[in-house]
Amino acid sequence: TKSLVDGMYMIESGGFHGAAGLAILTAASRGAKVGNADLGVVADATDTVLKNFGQTGISATQVVNGLIATVAHGKTKMQDLSGSLSQILPTASAAGIGLSDVEGAMATMTGEGIKADQAATYLRQTLISLEAPSAKGAKALASIGLTTQQVADAMHKSLPGALALITDNLKKKFPEGSAAYLADIKDNSGGSRTIQRILDLTGTPQS
Protein backbone atom coordinates (compact mmCIF):
# COMPACT_ATOMS: atom_id res chain seq x y z
CA THR A 1 0.00 0.00 0.00
CA LYS A 2 2.81 2.39 0.88
CA SER A 3 4.43 1.79 -2.53
CA LEU A 4 1.16 2.57 -4.29
CA VAL A 5 0.73 5.75 -2.26
CA ASP A 6 4.31 6.81 -2.97
CA GLY A 7 3.86 6.11 -6.68
CA MET A 8 0.59 8.00 -6.88
CA TYR A 9 2.12 10.93 -5.02
CA MET A 10 4.84 11.26 -7.68
CA ILE A 11 2.26 10.99 -10.45
CA GLU A 12 -0.09 13.53 -8.91
CA SER A 13 2.85 15.87 -8.30
CA GLY A 14 3.64 15.61 -12.00
CA GLY A 15 0.20 16.89 -12.90
CA PHE A 16 -1.54 13.65 -13.87
CA HIS A 17 -4.83 13.14 -12.04
CA GLY A 18 -7.83 10.85 -12.05
CA ALA A 19 -7.99 8.18 -14.74
CA ALA A 20 -4.77 9.42 -16.36
CA GLY A 21 -2.92 9.10 -13.07
CA LEU A 22 -4.27 5.60 -12.42
CA ALA A 23 -3.22 4.47 -15.90
CA ILE A 24 0.34 5.63 -15.18
CA LEU A 25 0.30 3.97 -11.75
CA THR A 26 -0.87 0.68 -13.25
CA ALA A 27 1.86 0.69 -15.90
CA ALA A 28 4.55 1.82 -13.46
CA SER A 29 3.53 -0.90 -11.00
CA ARG A 30 4.15 -3.50 -13.68
CA GLY A 31 7.53 -2.02 -14.51
CA ALA A 32 8.53 -1.86 -10.86
CA LYS A 33 7.53 -5.49 -10.34
CA VAL A 34 9.36 -6.73 -13.44
CA GLY A 35 12.47 -4.69 -12.62
CA ASN A 36 12.33 -5.20 -8.84
CA ALA A 37 12.45 -1.42 -8.41
CA ASP A 38 10.84 1.17 -6.17
CA LEU A 39 7.40 2.07 -7.51
CA GLY A 40 7.83 5.74 -6.67
CA VAL A 41 11.02 5.93 -8.76
CA VAL A 42 9.49 4.11 -11.75
CA ALA A 43 6.32 6.21 -11.52
CA ASP A 44 8.41 9.37 -11.49
CA ALA A 45 10.36 8.17 -14.56
CA THR A 46 7.14 7.30 -16.40
CA ASP A 47 5.74 10.70 -15.52
CA THR A 48 8.94 12.40 -16.74
CA VAL A 49 8.84 10.57 -20.07
CA LEU A 50 5.20 11.51 -20.61
CA LYS A 51 5.81 15.16 -19.77
CA ASN A 52 8.66 15.36 -22.28
CA PHE A 53 7.37 13.03 -25.03
CA GLY A 54 3.62 12.84 -24.38
CA GLN A 55 3.00 14.99 -27.45
CA THR A 56 4.02 11.99 -29.58
CA GLY A 57 0.95 10.10 -28.39
CA ILE A 58 2.91 7.51 -26.40
CA SER A 59 0.98 5.77 -23.64
CA ALA A 60 2.10 4.94 -20.10
CA THR A 61 2.22 1.25 -21.00
CA GLN A 62 4.46 1.97 -24.00
CA VAL A 63 6.72 4.08 -21.80
CA VAL A 64 7.16 1.28 -19.27
CA ASN A 65 7.70 -1.28 -22.03
CA GLY A 66 10.46 0.98 -23.35
CA LEU A 67 12.09 1.14 -19.92
CA ILE A 68 11.95 -2.65 -19.61
CA ALA A 69 13.49 -3.08 -23.07
CA THR A 70 16.27 -0.58 -22.27
CA VAL A 71 17.16 -2.52 -19.13
CA ALA A 72 17.07 -5.81 -21.05
CA HIS A 73 19.36 -4.57 -23.83
CA GLY A 74 21.78 -2.69 -21.56
CA LYS A 75 23.54 -3.47 -18.33
CA THR A 76 21.60 -1.57 -15.70
CA LYS A 77 18.73 -1.97 -13.26
CA MET A 78 15.25 -0.50 -13.59
CA GLN A 79 15.81 1.50 -10.40
CA ASP A 80 19.01 3.09 -11.71
CA LEU A 81 17.68 3.75 -15.22
CA SER A 82 14.48 5.30 -13.92
CA GLY A 83 16.38 7.55 -11.53
CA SER A 84 18.70 8.82 -14.28
CA LEU A 85 16.21 9.86 -16.94
CA SER A 86 15.40 13.28 -15.53
CA GLN A 87 18.96 14.29 -16.42
CA ILE A 88 18.62 13.61 -20.14
CA LEU A 89 14.97 13.65 -21.23
CA PRO A 90 14.33 17.43 -21.08
CA THR A 91 17.48 18.10 -23.12
CA ALA A 92 16.69 15.37 -25.62
CA SER A 93 13.12 16.58 -26.07
CA ALA A 94 14.25 20.19 -26.54
CA ALA A 95 16.83 19.04 -29.12
CA GLY A 96 14.21 17.09 -31.04
CA ILE A 97 15.80 13.70 -30.28
CA GLY A 98 13.40 10.76 -30.35
CA LEU A 99 12.71 8.74 -27.21
CA SER A 100 13.79 5.51 -28.90
CA ASP A 101 17.16 7.10 -29.72
CA VAL A 102 17.65 8.09 -26.08
CA GLU A 103 16.73 4.62 -24.89
CA GLY A 104 19.03 3.02 -27.48
CA ALA A 105 21.91 5.26 -26.42
CA MET A 106 21.33 4.50 -22.74
CA ALA A 107 21.23 0.75 -23.46
CA THR A 108 24.41 0.98 -25.51
CA MET A 109 26.37 2.95 -22.92
CA THR A 110 25.23 0.95 -19.92
CA GLY A 111 26.07 -2.14 -21.95
CA GLU A 112 29.62 -0.80 -22.13
CA GLY A 113 29.70 -0.74 -18.32
CA ILE A 114 28.83 2.92 -17.76
CA LYS A 115 26.50 3.57 -14.84
CA ALA A 116 23.06 4.85 -15.82
CA ASP A 117 23.40 8.25 -14.12
CA GLN A 118 26.80 8.82 -15.75
CA ALA A 119 25.48 7.68 -19.13
CA ALA A 120 22.61 10.16 -18.88
CA THR A 121 24.98 12.98 -17.96
CA TYR A 122 27.43 12.18 -20.76
CA LEU A 123 24.64 11.81 -23.31
CA ARG A 124 23.22 15.20 -22.30
CA GLN A 125 26.67 16.79 -22.70
CA THR A 126 27.08 15.16 -26.11
CA LEU A 127 23.70 16.38 -27.34
CA ILE A 128 24.41 19.92 -26.18
CA SER A 129 27.84 19.87 -27.85
CA LEU A 130 26.41 18.66 -31.16
CA GLU A 131 23.27 20.83 -31.08
CA ALA A 132 25.14 24.04 -30.26
CA PRO A 133 28.85 23.41 -30.88
CA SER A 134 31.58 25.81 -29.89
CA ALA A 135 33.44 27.81 -32.52
CA LYS A 136 36.14 25.14 -32.44
CA GLY A 137 33.54 22.42 -32.92
CA ALA A 138 31.91 24.24 -35.83
CA LYS A 139 35.33 24.65 -37.45
CA ALA A 140 36.07 20.95 -36.99
CA LEU A 141 32.78 20.05 -38.66
CA ALA A 142 33.54 22.39 -41.55
CA SER A 143 36.93 20.72 -41.99
CA ILE A 144 35.19 17.44 -42.85
CA GLY A 145 32.56 19.06 -45.07
CA LEU A 146 29.70 19.44 -42.61
CA THR A 147 27.79 22.37 -41.19
CA THR A 148 26.31 22.63 -37.71
CA GLN A 149 22.85 22.82 -39.31
CA GLN A 150 23.40 19.56 -41.19
CA VAL A 151 24.32 17.80 -37.96
CA ALA A 152 21.39 19.34 -36.08
CA ASP A 153 18.97 18.33 -38.84
CA ALA A 154 20.37 14.79 -38.83
CA MET A 155 19.99 14.60 -35.04
CA HIS A 156 16.32 15.53 -35.29
CA LYS A 157 15.80 12.55 -37.60
CA SER A 158 18.06 10.05 -35.85
CA LEU A 159 20.83 10.36 -33.26
CA PRO A 160 22.65 7.26 -34.60
CA GLY A 161 22.28 8.74 -38.07
CA ALA A 162 23.89 12.02 -36.97
CA LEU A 163 26.81 10.20 -35.35
CA ALA A 164 27.21 8.06 -38.46
CA LEU A 165 27.20 11.20 -40.62
CA ILE A 166 30.10 12.62 -38.60
CA THR A 167 32.14 9.41 -38.47
CA ASP A 168 31.54 8.61 -42.16
CA ASN A 169 32.85 12.04 -43.15
CA LEU A 170 35.79 11.60 -40.81
CA LYS A 171 36.70 8.28 -42.42
CA LYS A 172 36.95 10.04 -45.77
CA LYS A 173 39.64 12.31 -44.35
CA PHE A 174 41.47 10.24 -41.74
CA PRO A 175 42.14 6.51 -41.20
CA GLU A 176 39.57 5.25 -38.69
CA GLY A 177 41.02 5.11 -35.18
CA SER A 178 44.07 7.22 -36.05
CA ALA A 179 45.29 10.02 -33.78
CA ALA A 180 43.97 12.63 -36.24
CA TYR A 181 40.61 10.85 -36.43
CA LEU A 182 40.21 10.81 -32.65
CA ALA A 183 41.41 14.40 -32.34
CA ASP A 184 38.73 15.54 -34.77
CA ILE A 185 36.03 13.64 -32.87
CA LYS A 186 37.24 15.44 -29.75
CA ASP A 187 36.83 18.81 -31.45
CA ASN A 188 33.39 17.87 -32.79
CA SER A 189 32.12 16.49 -29.51
CA GLY A 190 33.20 19.34 -27.29
CA GLY A 191 36.20 17.93 -25.48
CA SER A 192 37.87 14.95 -23.92
CA ARG A 193 34.97 14.18 -21.56
CA THR A 194 32.52 13.57 -24.37
CA ILE A 195 34.88 11.98 -26.89
CA GLN A 196 34.68 8.71 -24.97
CA ARG A 197 30.90 8.79 -25.22
CA ILE A 198 31.05 9.26 -29.00
CA LEU A 199 33.37 6.26 -29.17
CA ASP A 200 31.06 4.20 -26.98
CA LEU A 201 28.01 5.10 -29.07
CA THR A 202 29.62 4.46 -32.45
CA GLY A 203 31.88 1.51 -31.64
CA THR A 204 34.86 3.51 -32.89
CA PRO A 205 38.15 1.68 -32.38
CA GLN A 206 40.52 3.48 -30.03
CA SER A 207 44.26 3.85 -30.37
Side-chain angles (χ1 to χ4, degrees), residues 129-130 133 136-137 140-141 144 166 170 183-190:
S129 295
L130 293 178
K136 185 177 182 180
L141 285 173
I144 57 172
I166 294 172
L170 273 169
D184 206 276
I185 289 182
K186 179 178 178 180
D187 289 340
N188 278 306
S189 63

Side-chain angles (χ1 to χ4, degrees), residues 8 11-12 16-27:
M8 200 63 199
I11 293 166
E12 290 276 348
F16 294 94
H17 310 290
L22 289 174
I24 295 173
L25 182 64
T26 300

Side-chain angles (χ1 to χ4, degrees), residues 10-102:
M10 298 304 298
I11 293 166
E12 290 276 348
S13 298
F16 294 94
H17 310 290
L22 289 174
I24 295 173
L25 182 64
T26 300
S29 297
R30 173 174 168 265
K33 183 177 181 179
V34 170
N36 192 29
D38 179 80
L39 176 55
V41 174
V42 179
D44 187 38
T46 306
D47 170 271
T48 300
V49 174
L50 289 172
K51 281 193 291 189
N52 287 282
F53 292 92
Q55 72 277 9
T56 64
I58 192 171
S59 69
T61 297
Q62 290 172 320
V63 169
V64 172
N65 286 342
L67 296 178
I68 293 172
T70 303
V71 171
H73 288 91
K75 193 187 295 182
T76 186
K77 298 178 180 178
M78 177 67 77
Q79 179 89 5
D80 297 333
L81 175 66
S82 296
S84 71
L85 292 180
S86 61
Q87 301 180 54
I88 176 59
L89 292 182
T91 300
S93 178
I97 306 301
L99 178 60
S100 60
D101 284 352
V102 174

Side-chain angles (χ1 to χ4, degrees), residues 106-194:
M106 290 294 291
T108 298
M109 287 195 286
T110 58
E112 294 288 335
I114 303 168
K115 294 182 178 180
D117 59 340
Q118 293 177 328
T121 298
Y122 294 143
L123 181 57
R124 178 172 55 82
Q125 292 171 342
T126 300
L127 294 183
I128 292 172
S129 295
L130 293 178
E131 179 75 10
S134 63
K136 185 177 182 180
K139 184 177 179 181
L141 285 173
S143 74
I144 57 172
L146 293 173
T147 66
T148 57
Q149 190 60 53
Q150 284 176 307
V151 173
D153 289 344
M155 283 176 58
H156 296 162
K157 295 178 181 178
S158 163
L159 178 57
L163 296 174
L165 177 66
I166 294 172
T167 54
D168 286 348
N169 275 49
L170 273 169
K171 291 173 189 176
K172 296 175 184 178
K173 186 173 181 180
F174 306 114
E176 184 176 5
S178 67
Y181 180 95
L182 297 178
D184 206 276
I185 289 182
K186 179 178 178 180
D187 289 340
N188 278 306
S189 63
S192 57
R193 290 186 177 183
T194 49

